[in-house]
Amino acid sequence: MTNTELNGAWLRHMETVRWFGGKGAGARLVGREPLPPYTAPGATPALRSEVAELAYPDGHTEHYHLLVAHYPVGAAVPGTVVGTDEVDGRAVQVVDATADPDALAAFVAATQPAFADRPVKLWAGEQSNTTLTLGSGDLYKLFRRIEPGPNLDAEVLIALGGAGVPEVRGRLQCAWPAGASTDLGMVIARVPDATDGWDLATAACIAGEDFTERAHALGVALADVHARLAEAFGTGTVAGDEVADTMGDRLVAAVAAAGELAPYADALRGAFDVLRGRELAVQRVHGDFHLGQTLHSPSTGSGNATGSVAGVWTIIDFEGEPAKTAAERRAPDSPWRDVAGMVRSFDYVRSAHPSPDSEAATNWADTARDAFLIGYCGVTNGDAVLPGYVIDKAVYEVLYELRNRPDWVEIPMRAIRAATHGDNPPETLTEKE
């Protein structure tokens, strides 16, 4: 198999996995840069990371981290065989190491020897990275879309020091590109007895179970993390006109890619004008906040002051929206962007209900949202700029769902229609009907 053929095989494989954010965007895999091997010469499987360069029709490029295992041609392979290659003069089968239990165990032993005695399993959840469980106490998160320098998630978790966020217990870095030190992964402490926030909320909505105390505690937890992020990374201001222009530009691009949005574009743009003439406080934020980025524990955890009958929330995955560059995700932003993400997430929750448009489902989402906002800022309608951020998020969701989960696109489109129905203002995205 030629290098070009192997590149094509890797791209076809990447199109099938959730962590690849370029699906449907016309990407070409134009190169793979092998990093130094993790295993000794002659080892089976042999392991290394590779950096795949993806080029897009609009001229921009992205880089993805591939974890690669090599087996001799003809050997039995437990993982997904992507193709064949010649490495150090010998023909090998090229395998996605994350689908190979033997390769994963060897990888952990080589890169995190303190955890070599732990059983290793691939985390089954859908996410934009790949996570390995190391026994019952720790998780090894492998970053997939990478950019030179420190990973945002690792940077934030180390700065916050573990309270209300996972504790960092190990880090995998590489000398890529030349002269830079780039994160490929990190080991974090697993939150004991935790339930995924999305799973918890959807189960409660389906059962008609009151969620207000837990939603309120989540708002308190986010406010606490925002305060600590501001202390760790500083604050600033940005002109609201600049933010409104950026949101408008994103809407134009979204309409070009998703014709479904075209009939609503003018009405949606009006929500962004509320930001004009204001100076907006900005700081480091989560950037992609929703229930799937939270864990709920039934009792007080170390250092977390929100424990009560409502339990304790841990906020995870501080990498921001996958579609943005690292520079964009690292840039200070309004805390209301995170609040808007959770407002939209509660609307997603009611879609798990057998009758999403029923009074029961709608009331559940409304009361949970209101409790969250009260926990965060003391009132149910947040700030005047919140609706603009909510609409910006819903527009992003339409594009994301079309590219990744087409069956889900009706969820954000339902919100878009609600925001532009008749004489109802865009605030209907955040206020009770």
PDB file of all heavy atoms in Angstrom, residues 227-261:
ATOM      1  N   ALA A 227     -15.605  32.188  38.639  1.00  0.00           N
ATOM      2  CA  ALA A 227     -14.853  33.078  39.528  1.00  0.00           C
ATOM      3  C   ALA A 227     -13.399  32.647  39.625  1.00  0.00           C
ATOM      4  O   ALA A 227     -12.478  33.485  39.602  1.00  0.00           O
ATOM      5  CB  ALA A 227     -15.505  33.104  40.905  1.00  0.00           C
ATOM      6  N   ARG A 228     -13.157  31.347  39.697  1.00  0.00           N
ATOM      7  CA  ARG A 228     -11.792  30.848  39.812  1.00  0.00           C
ATOM      8  C   ARG A 228     -11.030  30.970  38.500  1.00  0.00           C
ATOM      9  O   ARG A 228      -9.809  31.220  38.491  1.00  0.00           O
ATOM     10  CB  ARG A 228     -11.817  29.408  40.326  1.00  0.00           C
ATOM     11  CG  ARG A 228     -12.242  29.364  41.799  1.00  0.00           C
ATOM     12  CD  ARG A 228     -12.722  27.996  42.234  1.00  0.00           C
ATOM     13  NE  ARG A 228     -11.725  26.986  41.949  1.00  0.00           N
ATOM     14  CZ  ARG A 228     -12.027  25.743  41.572  1.00  0.00           C
ATOM     15  NH1 ARG A 228     -13.287  25.383  41.422  1.00  0.00           N
ATOM     16  NH2 ARG A 228     -11.076  24.874  41.355  1.00  0.00           N
ATOM     17  N   LEU A 229     -11.722  30.806  37.382  1.00  0.00           N
ATOM     18  CA  LEU A 229     -11.078  31.037  36.089  1.00  0.00           C
ATOM     19  C   LEU A 229     -10.656  32.492  35.947  1.00  0.00           C
ATOM     20  O   LEU A 229      -9.575  32.794  35.421  1.00  0.00           O
ATOM     21  CB  LEU A 229     -12.024  30.646  34.949  1.00  0.00           C
ATOM     22  CG  LEU A 229     -12.219  29.159  34.692  1.00  0.00           C
ATOM     23  CD1 LEU A 229     -13.359  28.933  33.702  1.00  0.00           C
ATOM     24  CD2 LEU A 229     -10.944  28.521  34.155  1.00  0.00           C
ATOM     25  N   ALA A 230     -11.517  33.401  36.388  1.00  0.00           N
ATOM     26  CA  ALA A 230     -11.181  34.821  36.326  1.00  0.00           C
ATOM     27  C   ALA A 230      -9.949  35.128  37.168  1.00  0.00           C
ATOM     28  O   ALA A 230      -9.067  35.903  36.768  1.00  0.00           O
ATOM     29  CB  ALA A 230     -12.368  35.663  36.788  1.00  0.00           C
ATOM     30  N   GLU A 231      -9.865  34.513  38.338  1.00  0.00           N
ATOM     31  CA  GLU A 231      -8.716  34.728  39.212  1.00  0.00           C
ATOM     32  C   GLU A 231      -7.443  34.141  38.611  1.00  0.00           C
ATOM     33  O   GLU A 231      -6.361  34.741  38.697  1.00  0.00           O
ATOM     34  CB  GLU A 231      -8.990  34.098  40.576  1.00  0.00           C
ATOM     35  CG  GLU A 231      -7.870  34.311  41.585  1.00  0.00           C
ATOM     36  CD  GLU A 231      -8.190  33.702  42.945  1.00  0.00           C
ATOM     37  OE1 GLU A 231      -9.300  33.168  43.114  1.00  0.00           O
ATOM     38  OE2 GLU A 231      -7.321  33.752  43.839  1.00  0.00           O
ATOM     39  N   ALA A 232      -7.560  32.981  37.978  1.00  0.00           N
ATOM     40  CA  ALA A 232      -6.379  32.302  37.443  1.00  0.00           C
ATOM     41  C   ALA A 232      -5.864  32.921  36.151  1.00  0.00           C
ATOM     42  O   ALA A 232      -4.647  32.979  35.922  1.00  0.00           O
ATOM     43  CB  ALA A 232      -6.688  30.819  37.227  1.00  0.00           C
ATOM     44  N   PHE A 233      -6.781  33.384  35.295  1.00  0.00           N
ATOM     45  CA  PHE A 233      -6.378  33.826  33.955  1.00  0.00           C
ATOM     46  C   PHE A 233      -6.647  35.303  33.678  1.00  0.00           C
ATOM     47  O   PHE A 233      -6.272  35.801  32.619  1.00  0.00           O
ATOM     48  CB  PHE A 233      -7.089  32.978  32.889  1.00  0.00           C
ATOM     49  CG  PHE A 233      -6.702  31.533  32.905  1.00  0.00           C
ATOM     50  CD1 PHE A 233      -7.493  30.580  33.530  1.00  0.00           C
ATOM     51  CD2 PHE A 233      -5.522  31.102  32.311  1.00  0.00           C
ATOM     52  CE1 PHE A 233      -7.147  29.234  33.548  1.00  0.00           C
ATOM     53  CE2 PHE A 233      -5.159  29.759  32.321  1.00  0.00           C
ATOM     54  CZ  PHE A 233      -5.962  28.831  32.943  1.00  0.00           C
ATOM     55  N   GLY A 234      -7.315  35.993  34.614  1.00  0.00           N
ATOM     56  CA  GLY A 234      -7.568  37.412  34.422  1.00  0.00           C
ATOM     57  C   GLY A 234      -8.863  37.695  33.678  1.00  0.00           C
ATOM     58  O   GLY A 234      -9.548  36.792  33.194  1.00  0.00           O
ATOM     59  N   THR A 235      -9.208  38.970  33.604  1.00  0.00           N
ATOM     60  CA  THR A 235     -10.448  39.418  32.963  1.00  0.00           C
ATOM     61  C   THR A 235     -10.154  40.579  32.027  1.00  0.00           C
ATOM     62  O   THR A 235      -9.051  41.131  32.014  1.00  0.00           O
ATOM     63  CB  THR A 235     -11.485  39.865  34.003  1.00  0.00           C
ATOM     64  OG1 THR A 235     -10.959  40.984  34.746  1.00  0.00           O
ATOM     65  CG2 THR A 235     -11.829  38.739  34.969  1.00  0.00           C
ATOM     66  N   GLY A 236     -11.167  40.947  31.243  1.00  0.00           N
ATOM     67  CA  GLY A 236     -11.043  42.079  30.336  1.00  0.00           C
ATOM     68  C   GLY A 236     -12.399  42.506  29.850  1.00  0.00           C
ATOM     69  O   GLY A 236     -13.435  42.086  30.387  1.00  0.00           O
ATOM     70  N   THR A 237     -12.428  43.329  28.833  1.00  0.00           N
ATOM     71  CA  THR A 237     -13.684  43.743  28.216  1.00  0.00           C
ATOM     72  C   THR A 237     -13.535  43.689  26.702  1.00  0.00           C
ATOM     73  O   THR A 237     -12.428  43.742  26.164  1.00  0.00           O
ATOM     74  CB  THR A 237     -14.089  45.166  28.630  1.00  0.00           C
ATOM     75  OG1 THR A 237     -13.065  46.088  28.220  1.00  0.00           O
ATOM     76  CG2 THR A 237     -14.312  45.259  30.131  1.00  0.00           C
ATOM     77  N   VAL A 238     -14.670  43.580  26.033  1.00  0.00           N
ATOM     78  CA  VAL A 238     -14.696  43.603  24.573  1.00  0.00           C
ATOM     79  C   VAL A 238     -15.930  44.373  24.138  1.00  0.00           C
ATOM     80  O   VAL A 238     -16.964  44.364  24.830  1.00  0.00           O
ATOM     81  CB  VAL A 238     -14.710  42.167  23.994  1.00  0.00           C
ATOM     82  CG1 VAL A 238     -15.996  41.441  24.364  1.00  0.00           C
ATOM     83  CG2 VAL A 238     -14.504  42.170  22.490  1.00  0.00           C
ATOM     84  N   ALA A 239     -15.855  45.054  23.029  1.00  0.00           N
ATOM     85  CA  ALA A 239     -16.977  45.834  22.526  1.00  0.00           C
ATOM     86  C   ALA A 239     -18.092  44.902  22.069  1.00  0.00           C
ATOM     87  O   ALA A 239     -17.852  43.958  21.304  1.00  0.00           O
ATOM     88  CB  ALA A 239     -16.531  46.721  21.381  1.00  0.00           C
ATOM     89  N   GLY A 240     -19.315  45.165  22.527  1.00  0.00           N
ATOM     90  CA  GLY A 240     -20.453  44.360  22.120  1.00  0.00           C
ATOM     91  C   GLY A 240     -20.678  44.380  20.627  1.00  0.00           C
ATOM     92  O   GLY A 240     -21.127  43.391  20.040  1.00  0.00           O
ATOM     93  N   ASP A 241     -20.356  45.507  19.965  1.00  0.00           N
ATOM     94  CA  ASP A 241     -20.505  45.587  18.504  1.00  0.00           C
ATOM     95  C   ASP A 241     -19.636  44.544  17.815  1.00  0.00           C
ATOM     96  O   ASP A 241     -20.056  43.915  16.826  1.00  0.00           O
ATOM     97  CB  ASP A 241     -20.127  46.983  18.009  1.00  0.00           C
ATOM     98  CG  ASP A 241     -21.176  48.020  18.324  1.00  0.00           C
ATOM     99  OD1 ASP A 241     -21.680  48.040  19.471  1.00  0.00           O
ATOM    100  OD2 ASP A 241     -21.505  48.810  17.427  1.00  0.00           O
ATOM    101  N   GLU A 242     -18.433  44.358  18.342  1.00  0.00           N
ATOM    102  CA  GLU A 242     -17.526  43.372  17.753  1.00  0.00           C
ATOM    103  C   GLU A 242     -18.089  41.956  17.881  1.00  0.00           C
ATOM    104  O   GLU A 242     -18.040  41.164  16.934  1.00  0.00           O
ATOM    105  CB  GLU A 242     -16.169  43.469  18.444  1.00  0.00           C
ATOM    106  CG  GLU A 242     -15.128  42.493  17.942  1.00  0.00           C
ATOM    107  CD  GLU A 242     -13.825  42.598  18.702  1.00  0.00           C
ATOM    108  OE1 GLU A 242     -13.554  43.684  19.254  1.00  0.00           O
ATOM    109  OE2 GLU A 242     -13.081  41.595  18.768  1.00  0.00           O
ATOM    110  N   VAL A 243     -18.650  41.648  19.057  1.00  0.00           N
ATOM    111  CA  VAL A 243     -19.227  40.322  19.277  1.00  0.00           C
ATOM    112  C   VAL A 243     -20.448  40.126  18.384  1.00  0.00           C
ATOM    113  O   VAL A 243     -20.632  39.057  17.775  1.00  0.00           O
ATOM    114  CB  VAL A 243     -19.601  40.134  20.754  1.00  0.00           C
ATOM    115  CG1 VAL A 243     -20.258  38.772  20.968  1.00  0.00           C
ATOM    116  CG2 VAL A 243     -18.365  40.267  21.635  1.00  0.00           C
ATOM    117  N   ALA A 244     -21.305  41.155  18.290  1.00  0.00           N
ATOM    118  CA  ALA A 244     -22.496  41.056  17.439  1.00  0.00           C
ATOM    119  C   ALA A 244     -22.111  40.833  15.978  1.00  0.00           C
ATOM    120  O   ALA A 244     -22.747  40.049  15.269  1.00  0.00           O
ATOM    121  CB  ALA A 244     -23.344  42.314  17.581  1.00  0.00           C
ATOM    122  N   ASP A 245     -21.063  41.518  15.520  1.00  0.00           N
ATOM    123  CA  ASP A 245     -20.599  41.329  14.144  1.00  0.00           C
ATOM    124  C   ASP A 245     -20.111  39.904  13.925  1.00  0.00           C
ATOM    125  O   ASP A 245     -20.393  39.280  12.884  1.00  0.00           O
ATOM    126  CB  ASP A 245     -19.476  42.315  13.823  1.00  0.00           C
ATOM    127  CG  ASP A 245     -19.964  43.755  13.680  1.00  0.00           C
ATOM    128  OD1 ASP A 245     -21.187  43.952  13.502  1.00  0.00           O
ATOM    129  OD2 ASP A 245     -19.120  44.666  13.769  1.00  0.00           O
ATOM    130  N   THR A 246     -19.374  39.371  14.901  1.00  0.00           N
ATOM    131  CA  THR A 246     -18.878  37.999  14.784  1.00  0.00           C
ATOM    132  C   THR A 246     -20.021  37.002  14.741  1.00  0.00           C
ATOM    133  O   THR A 246     -20.022  36.062  13.932  1.00  0.00           O
ATOM    134  CB  THR A 246     -17.940  37.679  15.970  1.00  0.00           C
ATOM    135  OG1 THR A 246     -16.833  38.578  15.955  1.00  0.00           O
ATOM    136  CG2 THR A 246     -17.428  36.249  15.883  1.00  0.00           C
ATOM    137  N   MET A 247     -21.008  37.190  15.610  1.00  0.00           N
ATOM    138  CA  MET A 247     -22.171  36.305  15.591  1.00  0.00           C
ATOM    139  C   MET A 247     -22.897  36.396  14.258  1.00  0.00           C
ATOM    140  O   MET A 247     -23.346  35.380  13.708  1.00  0.00           O
ATOM    141  CB  MET A 247     -23.114  36.656  16.738  1.00  0.00           C
ATOM    142  CG  MET A 247     -22.595  36.308  18.121  1.00  0.00           C
ATOM    143  SD  MET A 247     -23.783  36.798  19.399  1.00  0.00           S
ATOM    144  CE  MET A 247     -23.018  36.083  20.871  1.00  0.00           C
ATOM    145  N   GLY A 248     -23.029  37.615  13.738  1.00  0.00           N
ATOM    146  CA  GLY A 248     -23.677  37.782  12.435  1.00  0.00           C
ATOM    147  C   GLY A 248     -22.923  37.096  11.319  1.00  0.00           C
ATOM    148  O   GLY A 248     -23.530  36.480  10.435  1.00  0.00           O
ATOM    149  N   ASP A 249     -21.595  37.184  11.360  1.00  0.00           N
ATOM    150  CA  ASP A 249     -20.782  36.506  10.339  1.00  0.00           C
ATOM    151  C   ASP A 249     -20.959  34.993  10.432  1.00  0.00           C
ATOM    152  O   ASP A 249     -21.037  34.300   9.402  1.00  0.00           O
ATOM    153  CB  ASP A 249     -19.311  36.872  10.517  1.00  0.00           C
ATOM    154  CG  ASP A 249     -19.015  38.322  10.168  1.00  0.00           C
ATOM    155  OD1 ASP A 249     -19.860  38.958   9.508  1.00  0.00           O
ATOM    156  OD2 ASP A 249     -17.942  38.817  10.574  1.00  0.00           O
ATOM    157  N   ARG A 250     -21.014  34.470  11.671  1.00  0.00           N
ATOM    158  CA  ARG A 250     -21.225  33.029  11.827  1.00  0.00           C
ATOM    159  C   ARG A 250     -22.593  32.625  11.279  1.00  0.00           C
ATOM    160  O   ARG A 250     -22.741  31.542  10.702  1.00  0.00           O
ATOM    161  CB  ARG A 250     -21.098  32.625  13.295  1.00  0.00           C
ATOM    162  CG  ARG A 250     -19.684  32.412  13.756  1.00  0.00           C
ATOM    163  CD  ARG A 250     -19.623  31.574  15.023  1.00  0.00           C
ATOM    164  NE  ARG A 250     -20.149  32.278  16.175  1.00  0.00           N
ATOM    165  CZ  ARG A 250     -19.404  32.938  17.051  1.00  0.00           C
ATOM    166  NH1 ARG A 250     -18.103  33.006  16.881  1.00  0.00           N
ATOM    167  NH2 ARG A 250     -19.958  33.518  18.095  1.00  0.00           N
ATOM    168  N   LEU A 251     -23.589  33.474  11.488  1.00  0.00           N
ATOM    169  CA  LEU A 251     -24.919  33.173  10.971  1.00  0.00           C
ATOM    170  C   LEU A 251     -24.915  33.128   9.445  1.00  0.00           C
ATOM    171  O   LEU A 251     -25.517  32.226   8.841  1.00  0.00           O
ATOM    172  CB  LEU A 251     -25.918  34.215  11.472  1.00  0.00           C
ATOM    173  CG  LEU A 251     -27.354  34.070  10.972  1.00  0.00           C
ATOM    174  CD1 LEU A 251     -27.952  32.726  11.388  1.00  0.00           C
ATOM    175  CD2 LEU A 251     -28.215  35.218  11.495  1.00  0.00           C
ATOM    176  N   VAL A 252     -24.231  34.079   8.822  1.00  0.00           N
ATOM    177  CA  VAL A 252     -24.144  34.082   7.355  1.00  0.00           C
ATOM    178  C   VAL A 252     -23.504  32.793   6.853  1.00  0.00           C
ATOM    179  O   VAL A 252     -23.996  32.156   5.907  1.00  0.00           O
ATOM    180  CB  VAL A 252     -23.342  35.313   6.868  1.00  0.00           C
ATOM    181  CG1 VAL A 252     -23.032  35.196   5.376  1.00  0.00           C
ATOM    182  CG2 VAL A 252     -24.117  36.592   7.147  1.00  0.00           C
ATOM    183  N   ALA A 253     -22.400  32.393   7.488  1.00  0.00           N
ATOM    184  CA  ALA A 253     -21.733  31.160   7.084  1.00  0.00           C
ATOM    185  C   ALA A 253     -22.618  29.947   7.323  1.00  0.00           C
ATOM    186  O   ALA A 253     -22.646  29.009   6.506  1.00  0.00           O
ATOM    187  CB  ALA A 253     -20.413  31.017   7.851  1.00  0.00           C
ATOM    188  N   ALA A 254     -23.359  29.957   8.422  1.00  0.00           N
ATOM    189  CA  ALA A 254     -24.237  28.825   8.726  1.00  0.00           C
ATOM    190  C   ALA A 254     -25.370  28.720   7.718  1.00  0.00           C
ATOM    191  O   ALA A 254     -25.729  27.622   7.291  1.00  0.00           O
ATOM    192  CB  ALA A 254     -24.799  28.965  10.135  1.00  0.00           C
ATOM    193  N   VAL A 255     -25.944  29.857   7.326  1.00  0.00           N
ATOM    194  CA  VAL A 255     -27.024  29.844   6.335  1.00  0.00           C
ATOM    195  C   VAL A 255     -26.516  29.293   5.004  1.00  0.00           C
ATOM    196  O   VAL A 255     -27.225  28.543   4.322  1.00  0.00           O
ATOM    197  CB  VAL A 255     -27.608  31.262   6.160  1.00  0.00           C
ATOM    198  CG1 VAL A 255     -28.528  31.324   4.954  1.00  0.00           C
ATOM    199  CG2 VAL A 255     -28.351  31.684   7.420  1.00  0.00           C
ATOM    200  N   ALA A 256     -25.277  29.638   4.650  1.00  0.00           N
ATOM    201  CA  ALA A 256     -24.710  29.130   3.395  1.00  0.00           C
ATOM    202  C   ALA A 256     -24.551  27.622   3.433  1.00  0.00           C
ATOM    203  O   ALA A 256     -24.686  26.941   2.405  1.00  0.00           O
ATOM    204  CB  ALA A 256     -23.362  29.798   3.126  1.00  0.00           C
ATOM    205  N   ALA A 257     -24.271  27.067   4.615  1.00  0.00           N
ATOM    206  CA  ALA A 257     -24.065  25.623   4.747  1.00  0.00           C
ATOM    207  C   ALA A 257     -25.340  24.872   5.068  1.00  0.00           C
ATOM    208  O   ALA A 257     -25.434  23.667   4.812  1.00  0.00           O
ATOM    209  CB  ALA A 257     -23.018  25.350   5.823  1.00  0.00           C
ATOM    210  N   ALA A 258     -26.304  25.544   5.657  1.00  0.00           N
ATOM    211  CA  ALA A 258     -27.553  24.907   6.088  1.00  0.00           C
ATOM    212  C   ALA A 258     -28.721  25.784   5.642  1.00  0.00           C
ATOM    213  O   ALA A 258     -29.117  26.718   6.349  1.00  0.00           O
ATOM    214  CB  ALA A 258     -27.565  24.703   7.599  1.00  0.00           C
ATOM    215  N   GLY A 259     -29.260  25.474   4.481  1.00  0.00           N
ATOM    216  CA  GLY A 259     -30.351  26.267   3.926  1.00  0.00           C
ATOM    217  C   GLY A 259     -31.568  26.336   4.821  1.00  0.00           C
ATOM    218  O   GLY A 259     -32.394  27.253   4.694  1.00  0.00           O
ATOM    219  N   GLU A 260     -31.701  25.367   5.739  1.00  0.00           N
ATOM    220  CA  GLU A 260     -32.850  25.355   6.640  1.00  0.00           C
ATOM    221  C   GLU A 260     -32.941  26.637   7.464  1.00  0.00           C
ATOM    222  O   GLU A 260     -34.021  27.026   7.924  1.00  0.00           O
ATOM    223  CB  GLU A 260     -32.759  24.161   7.603  1.00  0.00           C
ATOM    224  CG  GLU A 260     -32.829  22.798   6.928  1.00  0.00           C
ATOM    225  CD  GLU A 260     -31.465  22.241   6.579  1.00  0.00           C
ATOM    226  OE1 GLU A 260     -30.542  23.048   6.346  1.00  0.00           O
ATOM    227  OE2 GLU A 260     -31.321  21.008   6.535  1.00  0.00           O
ATOM    228  N   LEU A 261     -31.795  27.298   7.667  1.00  0.00           N
ATOM    229  CA  LEU A 261     -31.762  28.496   8.503  1.00  0.00           C
ATOM    230  C   LEU A 261     -32.178  29.763   7.753  1.00  0.00           C
ATOM    231  O   LEU A 261     -32.498  30.776   8.385  1.00  0.00           O
ATOM    232  CB  LEU A 261     -30.355  28.696   9.069  1.00  0.00           C
ATOM    233  CG  LEU A 261     -29.890  27.704  10.128  1.00  0.00           C
ATOM    234  CD1 LEU A 261     -28.393  27.866  10.377  1.00  0.00           C
ATOM    235  CD2 LEU A 261     -30.662  27.913  11.417  1.00  0.00           C
TER     236      LEU A 261
END
